[in-house]
């Protein structure tokens, strides 16, 4: 028996030596490991290089977006982008309340924001709510500039300042409010009825500290627009002169006690005013658009040439878009665009009634009764999109997204490739 086992072992050894393939039953498991593993020091070096590159990219991004690295934005990113809070169920979204004025629907940092007769609501891109807060304002007006919005109660004293996620401040003015505005940096202005004056302007920083005040004795000043860094403001008002109407535009510098510039217009009423990002001012009147080059103290008038103004949109980064009609009832409108340098850069005869206009990234869009037209800067229509029959106002979010205010819903429209 012993000899038989020895003979079997020798035959098995010989067979193993002659085999072309390794037998797993003959070799210990530890011998199957890679004979040429990655050196530990090389792994550590790779990890260090990766960390250095990652931190470098993060640093560059932080420096490029330094102005946006606020506690509010960081908190928003953590709650909504990282954790996915308020995802939403998509559009259309039925808005809260019974009515929304078209002026109270806008975009705040590309998020749809609206103020109805009962609530202030900010939506995300999927119809979820960043915030939904009730108010008690009888006549709410919404003003927005990128990351901030101010909602004030016209002809009353209450106002509220919000960012995308929450209410920052709620307060009351000393007297009833004509108008209010907020700058990109959070500085805000309150224009109120005067006590011993016709109108009074009060300017506060984002921490609600008063930084400027001015009173008007000659004009009822009713519109205000603050520049993006909160250092100047443009205002418009009206008065009577020799039995006629006279309008005024003031330019105020918050470092000076007296007005910086003043422009008067006879037989003209100014509806609205905007302090542009290029440090110029544009105002929309009943008969003309007025453009003011502050540095050169030059005013340019762009006349409507007997046409009727039907709607307009002021854009800080562009200028003004207006709709003009040959008919008093607003049919067969032309689109006219006046850029930030005061030049009439686009004029399009649409032959349709225009309900709303907006601008984004060298393109403008027009809301018609049943369609939306998108135009390039040469005035050529490059896209036409069907819209809901109840559409009232359009907000151009980006090249692929439009938000539309309806009579009871807010719609999101995905824009396909331009048909150029």
């Amino acid at each position: 028996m012993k000899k038989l086992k020895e003979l079997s072992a020798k035959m098995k050894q010989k067979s193993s030596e002659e085999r072309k393939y390794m037998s797993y039953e003959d070799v210990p498991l530890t011998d199957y490991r890679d004979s040429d593993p990655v050196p530990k020091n090389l792994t550590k070096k790779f990890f260090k290089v990766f960390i250095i590159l990652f931190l470098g990219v993060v640093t560059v991004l932080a420096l490029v977006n330094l102005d946006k690295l606020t506690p509010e934005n960081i908190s928003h990113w953590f709650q909504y982008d990282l954790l996915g809070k308020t995802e939403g169920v998509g559009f259309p979204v039925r808005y809260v309340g019974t009515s929304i004025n078209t002026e109270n629907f806008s975009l705040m940092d590309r998020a749809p924001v609206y103020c109805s007769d009962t609530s202030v609501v900010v939506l995300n891109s999927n119809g979820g709510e960043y915030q939904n807060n009730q108010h008690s304002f009888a006549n709410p007006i919404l003003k927005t500039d990128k990351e901030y919005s101010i909602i004030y109660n016209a002809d009353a004293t209450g106002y509220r300042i919000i960012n995308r996620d929450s209410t920052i401040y709620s307060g009351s003015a000393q007297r009833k409010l004509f108008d209010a505005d907020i700058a990109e940096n959070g500085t805000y202005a309150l224009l109120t009825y005067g006590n011993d004056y016709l109108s009074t302007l009060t300017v506060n920083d984002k921490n609600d500290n008063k930084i400027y005040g001015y009173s008007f004795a000659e004009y009822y000043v009713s519109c205000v627009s603050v520049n993006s860094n909160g250092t100047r403001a443009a205002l418009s008002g009206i008065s009577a002169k020799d039995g006629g109407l006279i309008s005024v535009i003031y330019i105020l510098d918050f470092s000076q006690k007296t007005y910086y510039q003043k422009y008067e217009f006879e037989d003209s009423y100014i509806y609205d005013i905007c302090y542009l990002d290029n440090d110029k001012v544009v105002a929309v009147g009943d008969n003309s658009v007025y453009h003011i080059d502050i540095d050169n103290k030059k005013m340019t008038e762009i006349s409507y040439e007997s046409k009727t103004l039907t709607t307009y949109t002021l854009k800080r980064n562009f200028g003004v878009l207006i709709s003009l009609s040959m008919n008093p009832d607003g049919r067969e409108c032309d689109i006219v665009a006046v850029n930030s340098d005061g030049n009439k850069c686009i004029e399009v005869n649409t032959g349709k009634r225009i309900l709303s206009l907006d601008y984004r990234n060298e393109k403008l869009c027009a809301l018609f009764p049943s369609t939306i037209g998108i135009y390039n800067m040469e005035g050529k229509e490059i896209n036409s999109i069907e819209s809901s029959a109840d559409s009232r106002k359009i907000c151009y979010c980006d090249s692929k997204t439009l938000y539309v205010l309806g009579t009871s819903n807010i719609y999101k429209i995905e824009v396909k490739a331009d048909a150029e």
Side-chain angles (χ1 to χ4, degrees):
M1 178 64 70
K2 184 176 180 181
K3 290 182 178 180
L4 184 61
K5 289 182 178 180
E6 290 177 354
L7 180 60
S8 176
K10 288 180 180 180
M11 291 176 65
K12 190 174 183 180
Q13 182 179 2
K14 182 178 180 182
S15 176
S16 176
E17 291 173 352
E18 292 176 351
R19 278 198 301 253
K20 295 180 180 180
Y21 302 100
M22 184 182 294
S23 173
Y24 285 90
E25 62 184 60
D26 299 324
V27 182
L29 186 61
T30 54
D31 290 344
Y32 298 140
R33 293 178 300 183
D34 192 346
S35 61
D36 188 24
V38 178
K40 292 183 178 180
N41 60 342
L42 183 60
T43 303
K44 291 180 179 179
K45 288 181 179 179
F46 174 79
F47 184 72
K48 289 179 180 178
V49 171
F50 175 79
I51 292 296
I52 292 172
L53 290 174
F54 177 76
L55 292 176
V57 171
V58 171
T59 302
V60 171
L61 291 175
L63 291 174
V64 171
N65 299 279
L66 189 61
D67 58 328
K68 298 182 179 179
L69 292 179
T70 62
E72 294 87 355
N73 284 346
I74 294 173
S75 173
H76 171 87
W77 173 82
F78 182 78
Q79 293 183 65
Y80 298 97
D81 296 334
L82 186 62
L83 300 182
K85 187 177 177 182
T86 65
E87 291 182 353
V89 294
F91 287 84
V93 172
R94 190 172 184 85
Y95 60 71
V96 180
T98 59
S99 63
I100 301 177
N101 294 332
T102 54
E103 64 185 343
N104 290 340
F105 175 66
S106 186
L107 296 177
M108 183 167 58
D109 197 17
R110 297 193 178 185
V113 54
Y114 68 84
C115 181
S116 71
D117 56 334
T118 63
S119 303
V120 181
V121 180
V122 185
L123 301 173
N124 67 12
S125 60
N126 201 35
E129 294 179 350
Y130 288 135
Q131 65 172 301
N132 180 345
N133 296 311
Q134 290 186 337
H135 68 76
S136 59
F137 297 164
N139 188 20
I141 306 294
L142 171 72
K143 293 285 191 74
T144 301
D145 189 10
K146 295 187 179 177
E147 297 179 13
Y148 295 97
S149 289
I150 184 168
I151 304 98
Y152 69 94
N153 197 5
D155 205 32
T157 60
Y159 67 94
R160 182 182 299 180
I161 295 171
I162 67 170
N163 61 13
R164 186 169 47 182
D165 306 322
S166 60
T167 298
I168 299 174
Y169 181 79
S170 293
S172 295
Q174 293 183 351
R175 287 171 288 275
K176 292 182 179 181
L177 288 155
F178 277 122
D179 196 16
D181 193 36
I182 192 161
E184 182 180 343
N185 67 352
T187 298
Y188 66 95
L190 304 174
L191 190 58
T192 64
Y193 293 82
N195 189 5
D196 297 325
Y197 295 89
L198 299 179
S199 305
T200 298
L201 176 72
T202 302
V203 182
N204 296 349
D205 63 19
K206 67 177 182 179
N207 297 316
D208 195 44
N209 299 312
K210 182 178 178 179
I211 60 175
Y212 185 73
Y214 194 93
S215 295
F216 303 89
E218 299 178 90
Y219 290 87
Y220 286 98
V221 176
S222 56
C223 293
V224 59
S225 177
V226 183
N227 67 350
S228 59
N229 58 9
T231 59
R232 286 180 177 177
L235 306 97
S236 65
I238 59 171
S239 185
K241 182 179 180 182
D242 299 329
L245 178 70
I246 183 169
S247 294
V248 67
I249 291 178
Y250 285 101
I251 309 297
L252 298 181
D253 190 306
F254 299 160
S255 64
Q256 299 182 10
K257 293 183 179 180
T258 60
Y259 62 80
Y260 185 62
Q261 292 177 22
K262 179 181 177 182
Y263 302 86
E264 294 178 317
F265 315 90
E266 293 187 2
D267 299 322
S268 177
Y269 181 81
I270 295 176
Y271 295 126
D272 210 346
I273 194 165
C274 183
Y275 205 118
L276 304 176
D277 288 342
N278 66 344
D279 207 36
K280 295 177 174 60
V281 170
V282 65
V284 178
D286 55 352
N287 297 310
S288 302
V289 164
Y290 302 97
H291 180 274
I292 297 174
D293 184 340
I294 297 175
D295 291 340
N296 295 311
K297 298 181 180 180
K298 178 184 177 183
M299 191 277 293
T300 302
E301 180 179 0
I302 299 95
S303 173
Y304 302 157
E305 299 175 350
S306 301
K307 295 180 181 179
T308 301
L309 177 70
T310 63
T311 189
Y312 66 88
T313 299
L314 293 163
K315 304 294 290 186
R316 291 182 186 269
N317 63 339
F318 175 73
V320 61
L321 305 170
I322 59 175
S323 168
L324 300 177
S325 174
M326 290 294 295
N327 304 298
D329 60 2
R331 294 176 296 140
E332 299 180 0
C333 294
D334 297 341
I335 301 172
V336 177
V338 179
N339 64 19
S340 58
D341 292 322
N343 300 318
K344 187 187 294 186
C345 59
I346 300 175
E347 191 165 5
V348 181
N349 188 332
T350 69
K352 303 176 184 178
R353 182 185 176 204
I354 296 176
L355 305 175
S356 177
L357 296 165
D358 205 3
Y359 166 88
R360 172 76 65 176
N361 298 334
E362 299 298 307
K363 296 176 184 177
L364 63 91
C365 61
L367 175 63
F368 306 115
S370 59
T371 60
I372 297 169
I374 298 178
Y375 300 82
N376 61 20
M377 298 308 292
E378 285 73 45
K380 178 184 177 182
E381 186 177 50
I382 56 177
N383 215 327
S384 180
I385 306 165
E386 290 186 4
S387 66
S388 174
D390 67 339
S391 299
R392 296 190 291 141
K393 184 179 180 180
I394 191 168
C395 287
Y396 207 162
C397 180
D398 54 45
S399 60
K400 297 181 180 180
T401 310
L402 303 169
Y403 290 102
V404 182
L405 174 67
T407 54
S408 58
N409 293 291
I410 294 172
Y411 303 92
K412 180 179 180 180
I413 297 177
E414 300 292 342
V415 181
K416 296 181 181 180
D418 298 332
E420 287 187 282

